[in-house]
Amino acid sequence: MPALRLILGDQLSPEISSLRDIDPQSDMILIAEVMEEATYVRHHMRKIAFLFSAMRHFAIELESAGYSVRYVRLDDEENLGSLRTEVARTLEDHPEQFDRLVITKPGEWRLLQEMETWSGLFEAEIELRGDDRFIASLSEFEDWAEGRKQLRMEYFYREMRKKTGLLMEGEAPAGGKWNFDQENRKRLPKTAVPPPRKMFTPDKITSETLDLVEARFGDHFGSLESFDLPVTRKQAEAARDHFMYEILPGFGDYQDAMATGEAFLWHSLLSATLNCGLLDPLDLCQRAEAAWKEGTAPLNAVEGFVRQILGWREYVRGLYWLEMPDYGARNFLDARRSLPEFYWTGETQMRCMREAISHTARHAYSHHIQRLMVTGNFALLAGLHPDEVNEWYMIVYADAYEWVELPNTHGMALFADGGKMASKPYAASANYIDKMSDYCGNCEYDPKARTGETACPFNFLYWDFLARNENKLRGNPRMSLSYRNLDRKPPEEIAEMRNLASDFLSDIGALARENDEPD
Ligand code: FAD
Ligand code: DLZ
Ligand code: SF4
């Protein structure tokens, strides 16, 4: 039965389930750049350019392998603007040729829901296949989650280590410990120089894509300047190998560090190519393990890296599909303020926020601790509405798809799921940022001051956060130390900090949204 096979922008893997039984003689692959996907949120310009260029290169890869590919460009005059209409147009252009439309399920609930309505629209039978480019299947995750009150990543991760045998010595974890996190929290020494990165000069295809994005999406957030991302499988593999040999050895030590002007440090920068299918997660973990076995990278670095992929990445994907469609609707802390403008402009006196937002605008990237403990922590402390914060994270990062963005933002950063994912909110005062970075030394605010003109906003917002959410958080055993500290503060100081918080939030335009229903 001849089939039309639809490949989405984040399905750029030749082994994807929708291509598995392809017949090159009779079947056709459809890949389409469409306005609907490019604008359902106003993605960062770099993210669109990266993905369109990667899609175009993937089409060539498939053609070179002997497949028939219909590639629809965004500026194709006939382009009807959505995946559904492009499927319809292809089927109309090839009457009675295809009995089946084969698709690997998309990574976002909204699109899956839409595709599930397509069967009434087309004569071709629709076959939606599972996405098995992950190490754990969704049913494996469901089985693990079944009957558990709390879904802690650490326990899931241990199961995954046992299942794959990665970093295992028989039944025991390599090195006698499951987790080397304690060794991975070093502050960056002044003399440390982060390693140089592999950069990829745009070829003709990428240059054309950059022109298209500038013309069509020039008013979206971010910049296309010095575009150097890997867009082919070969380039993604070169970036992967560069990471494994040159960068992985230092990955662990400075995993939580932040430094002025340094966007990348020892992070892998592999998430965008991994999430769109140019790299494979199990292969990455195996290569990292091999580096440890060959003695080129220490165990704390390799375990830290493997945990991010085998643990966190698999876990958030399982959680997303387990909890959708309701996951994003919860607003446990009743956070109601709107996102201040500086999340888009970076114009704020808070040095740490300026750094994180400027890296984000420039690279469509910032590393995990900037996402979690700077922009995420600020949003949590300020009580910014989860819908607005989730949308910002979906827009600004080249690696953002809802299956991975939503649990990280809604659950981990904002605690909006009430503790499904994290055992307590990742709320922190300036002390944490000061410890893990050199930002505070260059800031107009004083990280030690809680009150007064130069008090760091992370301080008074932190205490305001604890006081404001007391009803919901005091009973959490992991918050007891924080509340004991709050109890020790003189009431006048708390009142002063709460006033400062209120004035500050008004000044920056983080205003309470009107007409919001309580959770
Ligand atoms: P590295 O630090 O080198 O880590 C290696 C790999 O591990 C990453 O490439 C990534 O694939 C994986 N990984 C690490 N942490 C996580 C995690 N928490 N969840 C899932 N995978 C992880 N990651 C995304 O891929 N897309 C997102 O939209 C996204 N949104 C986030 C939003 C917030 C608020 C937070 C706190 C984290 C978010 N993350 C997201 C997770 C993480 O920050 C990024 O995966 C990481 O920063 C990507 O950079 P890297 O490739 O250099 O990662
Ligand atoms: C993110 C994105 C963008 C910007 N554009 C397209 C596109 O034009 N065509 C396409 O097939 N996919 C695109 N994508 C990726 C999809 O949004 C992604 O496949 C879904 O969100 C499911 O994860
Ligand atoms: Fe950020 Fe406060 Fe430090 Fe300034 S003093 S960099 S605002 S934590």
Side-chain angles (χ1 to χ4, degrees):
M1 283 181 23
L4 177 65
R5 296 167 189 268
L6 176 65
I7 292 287
L8 307 176
D10 55 352
Q11 298 185 337
L12 310 182
S13 324
E15 302 81 23
I16 191 145
S17 59
S18 55
L19 297 184
R20 212 148 280 164
D21 50 355
I22 187 166
D23 180 345
Q25 304 307 319
S26 61
D27 293 359
M28 182 189 274
I29 298 168
L30 171 64
I31 305 179
E33 297 169 5
V34 291
M35 269 321 254
E36 194 164 271
E37 289 308 304
T39 55
Y40 72 95
V41 293
R42 289 168 60 83
H43 303 283
H44 193 302
M45 285 196 276
R46 217 174 186 83
K47 177 180 180 183
I48 304 178
F50 162 71
L51 211 59
F52 282 7
S53 178
M55 287 162 70
R56 290 178 186 196
H57 284 97
F58 184 56
I60 294 169
E61 185 185 335
L62 291 171
E63 276 166 350
S64 314
Y67 298 117
S68 152
V69 181
R70 172 168 161 130
Y71 191 92
V72 183
R73 289 177 175 234
L74 191 89
D75 51 7
D76 186 331
E77 279 181 6
E78 316 255 293
N79 191 327
L80 293 174
S82 73
L83 292 168
R84 179 180 51 75
T85 50
E86 279 312 300
V87 168
R89 192 163 70 87
T90 308
L91 292 173
E92 276 163 26
D93 288 351
H94 299 271
E96 293 171 30
Q97 188 174 333
F98 302 116
D99 301 312
R100 291 181 301 148
L101 171 62
V102 180
I103 312 172
T104 293
K105 286 184 183 170
E108 299 193 353
W109 177 268
R110 71 176 169 93
L111 198 52
L112 176 63
Q113 236 190 340
E114 191 203 313
M115 285 177 176
E116 283 172 346
T117 68
W118 286 5
S119 54
L121 303 179
F122 308 125
E123 278 186 17
E125 184 190 314
I126 297 182
E127 211 183 302
L128 277 169
R129 296 181 178 173
D131 188 347
D132 53 13
R133 295 173 301 162
F134 290 85
I135 304 167
S137 69
L138 293 179
S139 61
E140 253 176 311
F141 188 86
E142 273 168 34
D143 290 346
W144 172 78
E146 175 88 44
R148 281 173 198 262
K149 265 205 191 129
Q150 295 186 317
L151 302 179
R152 297 289 168 252
M153 192 288 291
E154 183 63 30
Y155 298 110
F156 172 73
Y157 167 57
R158 291 179 191 181
E159 291 304 310
M160 298 301 290
R161 291 267 297 272
K162 288 181 205 154
K163 169 187 148 158
T164 56
L166 281 163
L167 301 179
M168 295 297 291
E169 285 161 352
E171 292 296 300
K177 281 200 293 189
W178 292 105
N179 184 320
F180 289 78
D181 243 3
Q182 292 301 335
E183 293 167 39
N184 293 350
R185 292 183 183 143
K186 296 191 179 79
R187 197 178 198 269
L188 197 68
K190 279 210 170 71
T191 50
V193 182
R197 292 299 166 156
K198 235 181 154 44
M199 292 183 284
F200 301 90
T201 310
D203 62 3
K204 188 164 170 288
I205 295 175
T206 302
S207 299
E208 281 174 15
T209 315
L210 291 169
D211 291 344
L212 172 81
V213 172
E214 185 68 60
R216 297 292 185 96
F217 308 101
D219 58 346
H220 282 207
F221 174 74
S223 138
L224 292 172
E225 215 175 291
S226 316
F227 185 96
D228 58 2
L229 297 175
V231 290
T232 66
R233 193 168 317 282
K234 239 179 154 176
Q235 290 178 343
E237 287 168 358
R240 173 199 69 196
D241 294 345
H242 179 73
F243 170 74
M244 294 293 168
Y245 294 114
E246 308 291 335
I247 296 165
L248 178 62
F251 177 85
D253 290 354
Y254 307 120
Q255 206 179 325
D256 288 3
M258 297 177 280
T260 303
E262 298 291 347
F264 309 137
L265 297 170
W266 277 261
H267 289 274
S268 71
L269 320 186
L270 296 177
S271 52
T273 41
L274 178 58
N275 292 351
C276 78
L278 293 179
L279 296 174
D280 175 74
L282 184 59
D283 174 73
L284 287 180
C285 294
Q286 287 167 337
R287 282 172 193 273
E289 183 187 43
W292 170 61
K293 287 190 170 159
E294 285 158 15
T296 56
L299 186 55
N300 71 310
V302 171
E303 189 282 317
F305 180 73
V306 167
R307 178 154 27 91
Q308 304 313 311
I309 293 180
L310 181 67
W312 280 112
R313 187 171 184 271
E314 295 291 325
Y315 166 87
V316 297
R317 191 244 182 176
L319 187 76
Y320 176 79
W321 288 109
L322 188 73
E323 296 294 324
M324 283 307 277
D326 302 326
Y327 190 65
R330 194 123 193 251
N331 186 357
F332 175 71
L333 295 176
D334 207 22
R336 309 238 155 249
R337 289 180 185 271
S338 39
L339 195 81
E341 187 57 21
F342 67 66
Y343 268 80
W344 302 111
T345 61
E347 286 167 16
T348 161
Q349 291 175 340
M350 290 179 282
R351 180 76 191 201
C352 51
M353 292 291 278
R354 225 161 59 213
E355 280 282 316
I357 294 165
S358 72
H359 296 166
T360 303
R362 179 146 179 234
H363 304 291
Y365 177 87
S366 71
H367 69 70
H368 186 68
I369 293 302
Q370 290 179 305
R371 296 189 202 195
L372 182 64
M373 300 309 294
V374 180
T375 44
N377 183 27
F378 184 88
L380 171 75
L381 300 182
L384 306 187
H385 197 290
D387 288 353
E388 296 193 23
V389 183
N390 282 325
E391 190 184 23
W392 186 80
Y393 278 97
M394 270 301 293
I395 288 174
V396 302
Y397 293 114
D399 55 27
Y401 302 92
E402 201 185 62
W403 66 266
V404 54
E405 177 279 333
L406 190 66
N408 271 301
T409 308
H410 201 72
M412 195 185 319
L414 300 181
F415 205 68
D417 66 359
K420 229 244 131 110
M421 188 167 172
S423 55
K424 73 180 187 72
Y426 281 88
S429 67
N431 193 29
Y432 177 88
I433 296 173
D434 198 18
K435 200 171 86 195
M436 294 314 301
S437 77
D438 61 356
Y439 295 155
C440 302
N442 298 317
C443 185
E444 291 174 38
Y445 292 112
D446 176 356
K448 302 272 181 274
R450 293 190 293 266
T451 54
E453 267 186 19
T454 58
C456 168
F458 280 85
N459 289 338
F460 52 75
L461 288 174
Y462 173 77
W463 296 103
D464 180 57
F465 169 84
L466 288 182
R468 188 173 79 237
N469 293 299
E470 188 167 1
N471 288 347
K472 288 177 174 153
L473 298 178
R474 192 184 270 278
N476 180 330
R478 296 211 54 213
M479 293 298 287
S480 52
L481 180 64
S482 308
Y483 277 99
R484 276 207 301 279
N485 288 335
L486 180 71
D487 293 341
R488 279 195 212 111
K489 296 248 168 304
E492 316 79 65
E493 190 184 344
I494 296 174
E496 193 179 343
M497 289 193 288
R498 297 205 67 185
N499 281 337
L500 277 173
S502 170
D503 291 349
F504 175 79
L505 291 171
S506 304
D507 287 350
I508 61 169
L511 305 174
R513 298 178 358 152
E514 285 173 13
N515 304 325
D516 268 344
E517 295 293 322
D519 195 31

